[in-house]
Amino acid sequence: MSRFDFTFQQDSEDNTGGGDRFPSRLKEHDQWLVTQDKKPIVPSEGWQKSVNQLAFTEAQSKAEQLGGAVAFCFTEGGPFIGFDLDDVKEGGEFTNEALGIVERLDSYTEVSSSGTGLHIIAEGDHSDDHKHRGDLSEVGHLEVYDESRYFALTGDVYGGFTSVESRSTVVREVQDDHLPESQKFSFTGQQKPVSEQGFDGGKTGATPEQVRRTIEEYGKCRHTDVDHTRVIHWWRGQNGMKTSASEADMAFIEQLYFWCQGDQQLMDECFRTSGRMRPKWDEVHYSNGDTYGERHIRIACRRGDDEFDGRYVQ
């Protein structure tokens, strides 16, 4: 077979219609959503959190009931990476450049819902050295994600690439060849005014002092498994069993996600009133303008899958 002489074929497990069109490797993971017009409807919000994502069979059933489509979500720390080749047809045919990427990755490939793009899913990681999006040299562009994104899948398998394969080396090489390098960022210690830091919040109506007292009171109850001592130590500025202040910061913020019910604004206020607060919290540490505090709160919110559902001590 020549380099671009692809043929369509049916696979007995993954391409026989219905749910069997999708790779079994993906169906093993509870990382599915239901979409309509590429927008998530089940769940309609909070789809980034693993607790809200569905098993494949549940997603497929709901999609059939609602007239939607299933989508696979890429999650932080997961093994999968997605390549979205958009608008890569010219004269009614996929370009040689797009087909070259398909052949190199040699993993699950499908035609997108528009009919003019391709989805490729493999095992590998996005390179921090590259941006997520790049224009291709012929037509169209390529986007690459391994977390906080989803593909609305069609199951319209292309070229007989029916299974998800581990391609870590090639995944990196394709990014090297087709994605621009990330902007290099040098930390300058620049402070970002609090008024310019954007946090969602205000839903709890609680204060940092009420949160702190609630943690202490719940910790006194023998019928709970709350390790309030550890959290309060972090609140006071101690590192506890953590090897560094930064590691203790992250652990404390992840606890704040639970106790603040995911309220980013309240999480920020709690940290500012704690003994951990220092100028670093408001320093811009990332090339997109995020401060140390903004980035850590957003990471905690992506990871969090449980929230306090009791009443705050007044």
Side-chain angles (χ1 to χ4, degrees):
M1 183 171 67
S2 66
R3 181 177 180 187
F4 300 120
D5 184 19
F6 292 106
T7 59
F8 291 86
Q9 66 185 50
Q10 296 288 322
D11 181 271
S12 59
E13 178 182 5
D14 292 324
N15 194 24
T16 57
D20 290 337
R21 295 175 299 173
F22 305 113
S24 56
R25 186 79 177 88
L26 299 184
K27 291 188 287 185
E28 294 170 356
H29 294 259
D30 296 346
Q31 296 172 212
W32 294 85
L33 318 170
V34 179
T35 64
Q36 278 184 340
D37 299 324
K38 296 186 179 181
K39 296 180 180 180
I41 57 173
V42 183
S44 58
E45 297 180 354
W47 59 265
Q48 300 94 332
K49 298 179 181 179
S50 59
V51 69
N52 293 331
Q53 294 164 14
L54 310 175
F56 173 76
T57 53
E58 183 180 4
Q60 184 184 32
S61 175
K62 290 183 180 294
E64 292 173 351
Q65 294 171 12
L66 300 172
V70 294
F72 184 79
C73 185
F74 299 95
T75 60
E76 182 179 17
F80 304 111
I81 186 168
F83 291 75
D84 185 7
L85 292 87
D86 201 20
D87 293 326
V88 289
K89 268 190 174 181
E90 197 168 33
E93 301 292 336
F94 289 116
T95 64
N96 283 349
E97 184 178 22
L99 295 181
I101 294 173
V102 170
E103 186 179 47
R104 289 175 69 184
L105 289 169
D106 190 19
S107 190
Y108 176 75
T109 303
E110 64 170 32
V111 180
S112 65
S113 58
S114 68
T116 62
L118 295 164
H119 294 151
I120 307 170
I121 300 178
E123 291 190 31
D125 299 307
H126 175 259
S127 167
D128 291 336
D129 295 334
H130 295 86
K131 295 182 178 180
H132 288 279
R133 186 186 190 280
D135 292 329
L136 297 174
S137 59
E138 295 186 43
V139 296
H141 63 267
L142 170 67
E143 295 184 35
V144 180
Y145 298 102
D146 63 357
E147 63 174 289
S148 301
R149 289 292 190 279
Y150 60 85
F151 280 0
L153 299 183
T154 64
D156 185 4
V157 175
Y158 184 81
F161 295 101
T162 59
S163 60
V164 174
E165 305 292 344
S166 179
R167 298 283 187 249
S168 57
T169 300
V170 177
V171 160
R172 178 59 184 258
E173 292 172 350
V174 170
Q175 293 177 80
D176 288 342
D177 292 344
H178 295 282
L179 294 180
E181 291 186 358
S182 297
Q183 178 182 355
K184 301 302 181 183
F185 178 71
S186 298
F187 172 62
T188 63
Q190 176 186 355
Q191 294 279 312
K192 185 175 182 179
V194 177
S195 60
E196 295 180 9
Q197 298 181 34
F199 292 117
D200 296 330
K203 68 178 184 179
T204 65
T207 66
E209 181 61 20
Q210 289 171 343
V211 173
R212 186 188 62 78
R213 288 204 299 262
T214 300
I215 295 171
E216 291 180 334
E217 288 302 314
Y218 269 74
K220 295 175 183 177
C221 299
R222 293 184 177 181
H223 62 276
T224 71
D225 58 359
V226 174
D227 185 358
H228 77 289
T229 303
R230 179 180 56 174
V231 183
I232 295 301
H233 280 177
W234 288 331
W235 197 303
R236 292 171 179 167
Q238 301 169 12
N239 292 342
M241 300 296 291
K242 300 302 179 181
T243 58
S244 69
S246 295
E247 187 179 350
D249 287 344
M250 191 70 249
F252 179 50
I253 297 164
E254 288 179 335
Q255 285 291 321
L256 288 179
Y257 173 87
F258 172 82
W259 289 106
C260 296
Q261 300 178 2
D263 187 322
Q264 295 180 5
Q265 181 178 320
L266 182 57
M267 292 166 67
D268 178 62
E269 292 171 353
C270 286
F271 194 96
R272 291 180 184 281
T273 64
S274 77
R276 310 206 65 79
M277 182 59 188
R278 52 201 189 278
K280 181 179 182 179
W281 186 251
D282 290 321
E283 290 173 351
V284 176
H285 275 236
Y286 303 92
S287 59
N288 69 346
D290 275 358
T291 64
Y292 176 85
E294 286 176 307
R295 178 61 61 90
H296 278 61
I297 284 178
R298 286 168 186 155
I299 290 173
C301 289
R302 286 204 307 268
R303 293 176 178 173
D305 58 8
D306 193 17
E307 298 177 7
F308 174 64
D309 60 2
R311 298 178 63 180
Y312 290 107
V313 175
Q314 301 299 310

